[in-house]
């Protein structure tokens, strides 16, 4: 993997596979979805959804002062949909999503919709981002320790993670997006966020073990490197393909008894690909 900012340089040696028997595939028996904790995949558009008209565009500035109010409205909606962690809601209220998308799309930034970010990739809709972060924070009273994000994209979720964790390593395989994220994040000066250019399929051993791992792209299975780099007590949240050809959100907890996998609601993420382009 190529790294292009601090700390260190180049990949470290890989830890030996400790749990070779764990496939983390969805074709194993007994992995029924757990709808009890799931939120709806398709967000219902309510009259409280901030509309383009509610967002003031000011020349040269993108969205004006109103964006705070529009974000507050988005946060209320997320809370009503079941996002409960106060730190997640606070971060969603603070990070300006409109700064991570093209200015032509800025007016839609606080609608619950995914948006193109270039090179065929998308930024996930806010309800899915908040849902995944809520899953990472569940039951925690302290901030997360070190976190690994696979799929930096435009850097929006990385900025949120930087509010929730002591250290964030975010990997992107597309150089164009890695550079775009760096540009988007530059003014935020998040000293605890490390942007990496590389293939996230192999994780990032140098930062391991991680209290949390979150993927924004879905593969056929969870790569073994991710579970190997998950700290005891840590949690991984990722989209994974189901045998039926769709994708589901999967949570893997590193418990004293081993890895425990829970399959949640269906989701639609861009594919997890290998190699750096
Ligand atoms: N969290 C991002 C979402 C980006 S979309 C955001 O807030 O914008 C998912 C990203 O995962 C894409 O940019 C895609 O290029 C990246 N991706 C896919 N496979 C990858 C891999 N193996 N390693 C690193 N990034 C990967």
């Amino acid at each position: 993997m190529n790294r292009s900012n601090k700390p260190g340089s180049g990949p470290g040696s890989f830890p030996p596979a400790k749990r070779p028997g764990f496939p983390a595939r969805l074709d194993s028996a007994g992995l029924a979805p757990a709808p009890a904790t799931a939120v709806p995949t398709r967000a219902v558009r309510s009259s409280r959804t901030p509309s383009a008209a509610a967002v003031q565009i000011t020349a040269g500035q993108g969205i004006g002062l109103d964006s705070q109010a529009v974000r507050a409205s988005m946060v209320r909606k997320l809370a009503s949909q079941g996002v409960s962690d106060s730190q997640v809601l606070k971060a969603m209220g603070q990070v300006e999503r409109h700064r991570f998308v093209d200015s032509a799309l800025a007016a839609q930034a606080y609608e619950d919709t995914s948006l193109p970010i270039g090179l065929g990739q998308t930024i996930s809709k806010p309800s899915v981002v908040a849902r995944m972060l809520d899953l990472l924070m569940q039951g925690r009273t302290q901030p997360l320790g070190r976190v690994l994000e696979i799929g930096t994209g435009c850097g929006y979720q990385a900025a949120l993670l930087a509010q929730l964790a002591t250290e964030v390593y975010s990997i992107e395989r597309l150089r164009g997006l890695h550079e775009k994220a760096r540009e988007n994040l530059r003014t935020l000066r998040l000293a605890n966020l490390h942007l990496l250019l590389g293939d996230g399929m192999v994780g990032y051993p140098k930062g391991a073990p991680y209290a949390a791992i979150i993927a924004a792209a879905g593969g056929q299975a969870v790569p073994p490197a991710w579970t190997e780099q998950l700290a005891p007590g840590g949690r991984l949240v990722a989209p994974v393909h189901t045998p039926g050809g769709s994708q589901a959100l999967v949570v893997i907890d590193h418990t004293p008894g081993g890895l425990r996998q829970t399959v949640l609601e269906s989701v639609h993420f861009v594919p997890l690909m290998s190699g750096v382009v």
Side-chain angles (χ1 to χ4, degrees), residues 69-211:
V70 182
R71 270 195 307 285
S73 163
M74 176 184 80
V75 166
R76 279 194 297 276
K77 191 169 170 217
L78 292 170
S80 76
Q81 289 173 333
V83 177
S84 60
D85 185 84
S86 61
Q87 292 306 307
V88 172
L89 291 169
K90 187 174 165 200
M92 297 290 299
Q94 281 176 350
V95 177
E96 299 181 319
R97 191 171 185 257
H98 67 270
R99 296 200 183 275
F100 292 84
V101 295
D102 276 1
S103 51
L105 298 171
Q108 294 170 57
Y110 300 105
E111 294 184 22
D112 197 25
T113 181
S114 56
L115 293 170
I117 54 173
L119 301 177
Q121 308 301 316
T122 52
I123 178 175
S124 306
K125 55 186 181 181
S127 60
V128 171
V129 173
R131 163 72 166 152
M132 290 175 84
L133 297 178
D134 203 44
L135 284 167
L136 287 189
M137 296 300 286
Q138 225 167 49
R140 288 180 192 271
T141 49
Q142 301 292 316
L144 284 168
R146 282 198 304 278
V147 173
L148 175 67
E149 179 190 44
I150 292 97
T152 312
C154 64
Y156 172 67
Q157 185 173 271
L160 293 165
L161 285 167
Q163 316 290 319
L164 304 172
T166 55
E167 219 67 48
V168 179
Y169 297 87
S170 180
I171 309 181
E172 173 57 55
R173 65 180 286 273
L174 299 178
R175 191 179 297 270
L177 283 178
H178 167 74
E179 281 164 7
K180 188 184 250 188
R182 180 176 301 291
E183 185 55 30
N184 289 341
L185 291 159
R186 196 168 43 83
T187 54
L188 296 182
R189 296 175 182 278
L190 301 167
N192 63 336
L193 172 58
H194 311 283
L195 299 181
L196 313 164
L197 176 66
D199 184 353
M201 296 270 253
V202 296
Y204 183 59
K206 273 196 157 182
Y210 298 100

Side-chain angles (χ1 to χ4, degrees), residues 34-45 77-83 112 125-129 131 249 264-268:
T37 55
V39 291
T41 327
R42 202 169 282 277
V44 178
R45 225 184 153 85
K77 191 169 170 217
L78 292 170
S80 76
Q81 289 173 333
V83 177
D112 197 25
K125 55 186 181 181
S127 60
V128 171
V129 173
R131 163 72 166 152
L249 209 52
L264 300 171
E265 67 269 23
S266 63
V267 284
H268 305 281

